[in-house]
Amino acid sequence: MAKKKLSRKQLRQPDEFIGFWTRTATAVDRFASSHTRALIVGATALATVVAGSIVITQLSERRAIAASDALDRVERIETADLIAPGVTPKDDGLPHFSTEKERLEAALKELDGTFGSGHPPLAVEAMLARGSLLLDLDRFDDAIACYEKLLAGRLDNHLRFLAREGLGYAYERKGRLDDAQRVLSKLGEDARDMDGFYKDRALYHQARLAEIRGNPADASRLYHEVLDKSPTTSLRDEITNRLASLELK
């Protein structure tokens, strides 16, 4: 069975790669919470130290909020409407483009301009966004390098899952199905580390790869297993469509 080119929708998984802004807000809240101890040391003799801690915390929080705003701008550029020749774009403070490639390259340039050096807040989320943009631009080797660098560091379990998922997609798009299988098969372990969170996605990828490798029976069995074990999965519509497609073959 010929390898099927994944659609943009399948690659981006918008509930994960695009929709990390909730985690951004959570990261800011977590950061603020982690510094509250500096505010309760209480002793008069430490008043200067406390005041200094408050200033540092406020500055750090402002940096985190600025980073979140920067990621939001990248997202807005990436998803902005394409402008047809001769059409005047709306004045929304964003650059406008006539092709998707131009738009993606502009979003990547904006991202690299803000997060390209140092250790800014939300750097991991920015790298996840970068990997996704590189995938959309068919720069698979660069995407692989990006995700491997992420996985070599210390990551929150949820972000590790997303980085590994992105790496699997990059290998798959490059045609390295054995490497994709090796990477994506570890998602089940990641899901167990999160008390089963994302377990539907982990199993879904195994089904998808079975389908791509020309094993429709295994793929169908695994798709049904996802639906049986996770009846409320957000992947239900996608899986239903894939099962319908398998039945027509």
Side-chain angles (χ1 to χ4, degrees):
M1 175 181 177
K3 181 181 181 296
K4 295 165 58 178
K5 179 177 174 64
L6 293 175
S7 68
R8 175 181 171 85
K9 176 182 177 183
Q10 291 167 327
L11 274 172
R12 293 204 44 79
Q13 297 300 336
D15 56 322
E16 301 301 340
F17 281 100
I18 297 178
F20 58 71
W21 309 115
T22 299
R23 288 192 302 280
T24 297
T26 301
V28 174
D29 290 340
R30 187 186 304 126
F31 184 90
S33 298
S34 69
H35 287 73
T36 54
R37 293 183 181 178
L39 306 181
I40 60 174
V41 292
T44 304
L46 296 179
T48 301
V49 176
V50 173
S53 297
I54 294 173
V55 171
I56 292 172
T57 298
Q58 290 175 339
L59 289 174
S60 298
E61 288 175 349
R62 284 199 291 270
R63 290 180 65 229
I65 293 171
S68 178
D69 289 342
L71 282 173
D72 181 67
R73 178 174 171 80
V74 171
E75 169 71 7
R76 289 169 61 206
I77 292 173
E78 182 186 1
T79 58
D81 293 335
L82 296 178
I83 304 301
V87 175
T88 302
K90 60 184 177 181
D91 184 11
D92 54 7
L94 296 173
H96 295 89
F97 311 94
S98 58
T99 68
E100 182 177 2
K101 185 174 185 292
E102 290 176 349
R103 182 174 61 184
L104 291 170
E105 289 175 340
L108 181 61
K109 182 178 180 180
E110 180 81 15
L111 185 71
D112 288 345
T114 305
F115 296 92
S117 62
H119 301 281
L122 307 180
V124 170
E125 286 83 354
M127 283 191 70
L128 282 171
R130 189 173 198 275
S132 181
L133 286 167
L134 291 169
L135 274 175
D136 279 342
L137 286 166
D138 292 343
R139 292 172 54 180
F140 307 133
D141 288 332
D142 290 336
I144 288 170
C146 179
Y147 289 123
E148 286 182 337
K149 183 177 180 179
L150 274 170
L151 290 167
R154 297 178 60 182
L155 294 178
D156 167 272
N157 286 336
H158 296 270
L159 298 180
R160 177 169 294 277
F161 184 101
L162 297 178
R164 203 186 306 277
E165 184 179 49
L167 179 59
Y169 272 129
Y171 278 134
E172 184 180 328
R173 288 290 305 275
K174 192 171 171 62
R176 295 168 57 177
L177 293 184
D178 288 342
D179 286 324
Q181 181 76 52
R182 171 180 55 80
V183 170
L184 293 175
S185 66
K186 296 179 182 179
L187 292 179
E189 299 173 13
D190 292 338
R192 284 192 293 273
D193 289 341
M194 294 183 285
D195 296 325
F197 194 72
Y198 288 153
K199 64 181 180 180
D200 55 336
R201 297 189 69 83
L203 195 55
Y204 163 77
H205 284 303
Q206 296 307 305
R208 222 175 31 78
L209 283 176
E211 181 181 354
I212 290 171
R213 285 179 175 274
N215 299 314
D218 288 344
S220 180
R221 174 180 57 80
L222 290 168
Y223 284 137
H224 281 293
E225 188 174 344
V226 176
L227 297 179
D228 291 341
K229 291 185 175 181
S230 303
T232 61
T233 177
S234 61
L235 298 167
R236 175 171 288 278
D237 289 344
E238 175 68 20
I239 290 174
T240 300
N241 291 336
R242 286 181 175 270
L243 284 171
S245 177
L246 284 173
E247 291 175 358
L248 294 175
K249 294 180 180 179

